[in-house]
Amino acid sequence: MEINIIFVSLLVLALMAGINSISAQDVNANINDTEADYSFTMAVPYNAGTGYHWEISPESHGVEVISINFVEDYPGTLGSSGTGYFNFHVIDNDDYYVKLVLISPNGDIVSETDSNS
């Protein structure tokens, strides 16, 4: 019984640490604009184990999604944090905008970043 209490306590502590690390991290996007193919990547901190996740806002326009990838900081480690990479191809050079929103487990938007950051 004592082992179960310790295990549950450690699990709760790990989840709380993961949630705090999301809110404490800088969520500004890293945009790499290459004029040859008019594509760019937005990189955001990500920890899927906490229930928080990034989504592309419906306000985004003038781009198409090439890929979305997650790279773990510690591959193979349960609940590892990492970075989400959202790769876009620009369709309209004169008018494009991308907004990423961080959604909490209950569906609230808790943070956002955009292609103008």
Side-chain angles (χ1 to χ4, degrees):
M1 181 68 155
E2 212 172 286
I3 293 175
N4 289 341
I5 293 171
I6 292 171
F7 176 74
V8 169
S9 298
L10 288 174
L11 181 62
V12 168
L13 187 61
L15 286 173
M16 289 175 61
I19 290 170
N20 287 336
S21 70
I22 286 176
S23 61
Q25 291 183 0
D26 181 14
V27 296
N28 290 329
N30 298 320
I31 300 176
N32 303 314
D33 191 3
T34 56
E35 291 191 25
D37 64 1
Y38 302 100
S39 63
F40 64 95
T41 298
M42 295 176 70
V44 290
Y46 200 96
N47 191 338
T50 63
Y52 287 76
H53 64 281
W54 287 95
E55 292 181 6
I56 302 167
S57 168
E59 296 174 41
S60 303
H61 61 271
V63 297
E64 62 184 8
V65 178
I66 297 171
S67 64
I68 300 172
N69 300 304
F70 173 68
V71 177
E72 292 178 306
D73 291 333
Y74 305 100
T77 303
L78 182 63
S80 176
S81 60
T83 303
Y85 293 96
F86 291 76
N87 302 301
F88 299 96
H89 177 73
V90 176
I91 298 169
D92 184 352
N93 282 340
D94 296 326
D95 184 28
Y96 71 91
Y97 175 74
V98 176
K99 179 193 269 185
L100 300 179
V101 292
L102 181 61
I103 309 294
S104 72
N106 67 359
D108 294 334
I109 295 174
V110 294
S111 188
E112 59 186 48
T113 189
D114 64 33
S115 56
N116 294 336
S117 297

